[in-house]
Amino acid sequence: MTRPAGTLGYGEAADELAVQYESVSFDEVHGELLAHYPPAPAAVLDLGAGTGRDAAALAALGHRVLAVEPTPELRAHGERLHAGSGVRWMSDALPDLPQVRASGERYDLVLVTAVWMHLAPGERRTALRTVSGLLAPGGRLSLTVRHGPVPAGRRMYDVPDEETLALAAEHGLRPVHQASRQDLHGRGGVRWTLLVLERPAARQHPA
């Protein structure tokens, strides 16, 4: 698979990034969002899973987790660090996710953690359509989006919350949680948007 432009710089820095990613816990990253995640066992898709920190934690909670990571160096770290976790790994990438879509599976929870800002505007529109199509009725999409200075050698965009919410609405997704927080690594000028979006369950027709 050709490396997506949004992954620029991640392969070369994979060893350093693996340490960084694993230095914060799943609960630190997702703690305030957990109340909005479905109970186990649920089908979970972790897009841009990195080293699999979140995927492994969700698997430990009893979920069935597919971790998708397009950067082979990061995926190798994840398969090593979280061997035996029960997480399935796949090489695929937003915005189209052809391998994931080919399976025909639908998910109760899709995580897109620290990924969305790597997608160009046109890619974000396609990605939202792709992800919304992978959600089961009642399924939820968790997005954490970075704002602030762009590290050297990376491709990032500033993504207004209003844009994401408008794209979500176009595909029938409604917000159930929206918040902002400072960077967990203490990087100056960096803050994060936290969004949980839901695909409403299909209405029951009267008999």
Side-chain angles (χ1 to χ4, degrees):
M1 182 180 75
T2 302
R3 296 203 181 207
T7 66
L8 181 69
Y10 279 83
E12 298 84 344
D15 293 348
E16 174 188 344
L17 290 170
V19 174
Q20 177 184 313
Y21 294 164
E22 297 288 330
S23 71
V24 293
S25 70
F26 170 77
D27 286 339
E28 287 176 297
V29 176
H30 294 271
E32 72 177 270
L33 304 175
L34 287 177
H36 304 288
Y37 292 176
V44 177
L45 176 64
D46 187 0
L47 297 175
T51 57
R53 175 201 62 210
D54 299 342
L58 287 163
L61 293 173
H63 297 290
R64 304 182 305 278
V65 186
L66 174 61
V68 174
E69 175 51 56
T71 302
E73 294 88 349
L74 287 175
R75 198 168 60 249
H77 277 294
E79 291 174 329
R80 173 182 58 83
L81 290 167
H82 300 292
S85 65
V87 172
R88 293 182 295 139
W89 286 88
M90 180 181 289
S91 175
D92 207 358
L94 288 166
D96 297 305
L97 295 172
Q99 303 300 320
V100 175
R101 288 189 294 111
S103 74
E105 194 168 347
R106 295 294 178 266
Y107 297 88
D108 304 303
L109 175 64
V110 177
L111 299 182
V112 186
T113 305
V115 169
W116 203 248
M117 65 282 180
H118 292 300
L119 301 174
E123 292 175 325
R124 295 196 294 271
R125 179 172 292 278
T126 300
L128 210 298
R129 181 174 66 244
T130 298
V131 173
S132 66
L134 292 168
L135 286 170
R140 293 187 169 184
L141 166 61
S142 173
L143 283 167
T144 65
V145 187
R146 173 178 165 147
H147 307 275
V150 179
R154 305 280 172 80
R155 186 187 82 160
M156 293 184 188
Y157 299 88
D158 186 49
V159 185
D161 296 353
E162 295 76 15
E163 176 200 290
T164 306
L165 292 170
L167 287 176
E170 288 180 17
H171 295 284
L173 305 183
R174 66 179 187 90
V176 297
H177 182 78
Q178 181 178 3
S180 178
R181 71 162 173 233
Q182 298 303 307
D183 184 60
L184 293 174
H185 296 283
R187 291 169 292 200
V190 175
R191 65 177 182 85
W192 295 82
T193 291
L194 312 179
L195 288 173
V196 179
L197 307 166
E198 181 181 65
R199 172 175 290 289
R203 291 184 179 178
Q204 296 291 325
H205 295 285

